Amino acid sequence: MELKWEEREWDEDEFPRGASPEKFFRDSKEFANLMMMYKCAIREVRTKLEVLDDEFSVRYKRNPISSIQTRVKKPISIFRKLKKYDLELTPENILKGLHDVAGVRVVCAFIDDIYMVAALLANQDDITVLQVKDYIKEPKANGYRSYHMIVEIPVFFSRGKTPMKVEIQIRTIAMDFWASLEHQLRYKKDIEDVEGHEEISGRLLECADTISDTDRKMQEIKQMIGEFNDLS
Ligand code: GTP
Ligand code: MG
């Protein structure tokens, strides 16, 4: 089965308009336009990443980025998050209040590729970094590791440019392996409701630590072979 960037489905009675949130977003011109804008912002970020990867592969015969996944947040998740913040469902509230409507997940080969990609993106003068969460230096209690950035990028439309927020998650293949499987396990059932959930959480954490150890070892091997990716 293909591993996707999945979100929770919606319950029939959750959306107040008696229709699906997807249908509401599709039928409303304003919301459809907004979702189009987020998709465009994602394309801008993807292109920047692909350019960096292409340049790197010509220079160093190696790809620091092994894959890129993107997603626009599902209408129901947008609806739920606004509700959580006590905000009404309006395009302005989405633009101002949410920072993860557009998501880009970058899977890198080595740990230092993550920091290189993040720095090269942050240095581009049309990108503003609004927030960084380094869950590699400080992993979550459950073992989750990734480098998260919220950036703002201008997208040029017929009526001028609009700064759009994009959440970028950068992680190694190993971190992605753990996060994808952990998500799948959590997606099926609330782990807290399962008998022996402490044992399960403990085992998941153990896997995360083992994987992280392997990531570090691979990074060391790369350094032993030589600084073949020094961008100077
Ligand atoms: P959200 O409300 O979930 O967006 O949290 P947040 O705004 O505090 O952002 P954070 O940077 O902590 O996490 C954002 C995203 O990172 C999530 O939507 C997931 O895609 C991913 N993520 C964070 N924690 C975990 C985790 O424990 N496991 C997995 N598999 N993914 C995670
Ligand atoms: Mg989120």
Side-chain angles (χ1 to χ4, degrees):
M1 190 182 83
E2 198 193 346
L3 295 178
K4 284 211 213 103
W5 190 338
E6 304 246 21
E7 289 179 284
R8 214 149 55 86
E9 289 302 320
W10 51 283
D11 302 324
E12 292 273 334
D13 56 356
E14 200 169 6
F15 202 64
R17 287 159 214 273
S20 76
E22 275 77 11
K23 186 172 181 323
F24 170 70
F25 272 50
R26 227 182 13 250
D27 291 351
S28 156
K29 242 190 177 160
E30 266 186 312
F31 284 102
N33 188 52
L34 191 61
M35 293 302 112
M36 174 279 294
M37 289 164 76
Y38 279 114
K39 281 184 195 150
C40 292
I42 285 175
R43 288 201 338 240
E44 297 276 354
V45 173
R46 181 192 269 280
T47 300
K48 285 178 176 295
L49 291 162
E50 285 170 353
V51 167
L52 289 174
D53 195 56
D54 282 357
E55 182 200 350
F56 205 89
S57 70
V58 170
R59 267 215 230 177
Y60 302 103
K61 309 265 180 298
R62 185 177 85 78
N63 290 90
I65 297 174
S66 51
S67 67
I68 301 172
Q69 287 176 49
T70 64
R71 73 103 178 81
V72 177
K73 203 175 183 68
K74 278 187 182 171
I76 183 60
S77 305
I78 293 176
F79 173 69
R80 280 197 190 114
K81 206 153 203 183
L82 287 177
K83 205 164 156 187
K84 194 171 111 186
Y85 298 150
D86 239 348
L87 292 170
E88 254 185 80
L89 184 60
T90 67
E92 292 71 34
N93 284 345
I94 294 174
L95 270 171
K96 285 205 190 108
L98 304 187
H99 58 228
D100 65 345
V101 177
V104 177
R105 187 171 287 161
V106 190
V107 179
C108 290
F110 294 94
I111 299 168
D112 64 359
D113 290 331
I114 296 175
Y115 290 100
M116 179 188 69
V117 167
L120 290 174
L121 270 186
N123 273 335
Q124 301 196 358
D125 58 18
D126 52 349
I127 283 200
T128 309
V129 179
L130 302 178
Q131 188 196 82
V132 169
K133 285 191 199 167
D134 189 343
Y135 293 128
I136 299 167
K137 293 221 162 76
E138 283 183 59
K140 284 197 165 181
N142 64 356
Y144 176 78
R145 286 170 175 82
S146 272
Y147 187 92
H148 291 189
M149 296 166 97
I150 309 292
V151 303
E152 201 165 59
I153 181 168
V155 185
F156 292 79
F157 299 104
S158 60
R159 291 186 199 146
K161 64 178 173 182
T162 309
M164 302 293 299
K165 291 187 190 109
V166 180
E167 179 182 280
I168 307 176
Q169 303 176 350
I170 318 177
R171 44 170 82 153
T172 59
I173 300 166
M175 293 171 195
D176 190 52
F177 162 68
W178 184 91
S180 302
L181 300 198
E182 187 263 359
H183 179 75
Q184 266 195 42
L185 294 170
R186 211 158 29 84
Y187 194 81
K188 294 253 177 223
K189 259 187 183 167
D190 233 331
I191 289 180
E192 269 75 56
D193 296 343
V194 177
E195 206 181 320
H197 67 88
E198 275 159 8
E199 157 99 20
I200 292 170
S201 300
R203 285 191 185 204
L204 275 169
L205 181 59
E206 211 177 291
C207 289
D209 291 343
T210 306
I211 284 164
S212 164
D213 227 44
T214 308
D215 247 348
R216 266 201 303 275
K217 284 181 188 155
M218 295 302 278
Q219 176 73 51
E220 279 165 22
I221 294 168
K222 175 166 165 277
Q223 261 141 10
M224 284 162 74
I225 292 172
E227 291 295 324
F228 58 99
N229 62 352
D230 189 353
L231 254 194
S232 57

